[in-house]
Amino acid sequence: MDVTSTSITLSWEPSNEAATRYIVQYGTEEQVTDETSLTITNLKPSTAYTFTVSAEYEDGSRHTGQALSVTTKAENGGEACAAPNWEQTAVYTGGDQVQHKGHLYEAKWWTTGEEPGTTGEWGVWKLLGECE
């Protein structure tokens, strides 16, 4: 899988049966291909997307695979990567952004000493994407 700030290239194994086409769905969007890979463009930087790939067969039936969540990278040189490095002793309030171990995070509420990337989905830090 190749991920940039505005595109994602997905690839998958062919269906066990002869699929006539594959449908890739994300949000309210849908793209169709007869190949086993697809590059999706015009995505927003630092944004999480959930993709599902369905194989469609000649009789019109479909088999849908597992959902895959992917976050696009932050824009190179953009404001997102201009965030300061996380410091353990600093105080952060909701909306503050920091870089830590190559990723960009945003504080959901007041915090100090909680390391980004260690608090989980329900923790104080929201992962926004990669920071190069």
Side-chain angles (χ1 to χ4, degrees):
M1 177 171 42
D2 184 34
V3 180
T4 71
S5 62
T6 59
S7 69
I8 295 173
T9 300
L10 301 171
S11 60
W12 53 90
E13 293 295 319
S15 172
N16 291 339
E17 300 174 33
T20 56
R21 66 184 189 159
Y22 296 94
I23 299 101
V24 178
Q25 296 175 305
Y26 56 102
T28 60
E29 302 292 323
E30 180 176 283
Q31 293 192 26
V32 178
T33 182
D34 57 355
E35 304 295 325
T36 56
S37 67
L38 181 67
T39 299
I40 299 168
T41 59
N42 298 318
L43 301 175
K44 294 180 182 178
S46 302
T47 303
Y49 292 90
T50 300
F51 299 92
T52 57
V53 178
S54 300
E56 187 173 271
Y57 304 101
E58 199 167 297
D59 66 0
S61 65
R62 284 187 183 182
H63 173 77
T64 302
Q66 288 184 330
L68 172 68
S69 293
V70 182
T71 300
T72 52
K73 293 183 179 181
E75 290 182 288
N76 290 335
E79 285 184 41
C81 284
N85 290 321
W86 174 76
E87 295 180 28
Q88 186 173 11
T89 58
V91 173
Y92 301 99
T93 58
D96 287 347
Q97 293 185 354
V98 297
Q99 294 184 56
H100 187 60
K101 296 184 179 180
H103 292 89
L104 177 67
Y105 295 90
E106 182 176 271
K108 297 178 190 174
W109 56 79
W110 183 96
T111 185
T112 187
E114 294 185 71
E115 182 179 357
T118 63
T119 61
E121 179 182 356
W122 305 109
V124 65
W125 293 106
K126 176 183 178 183
L127 175 63
L128 298 178
E130 292 187 25
C131 220
E132 296 182 43

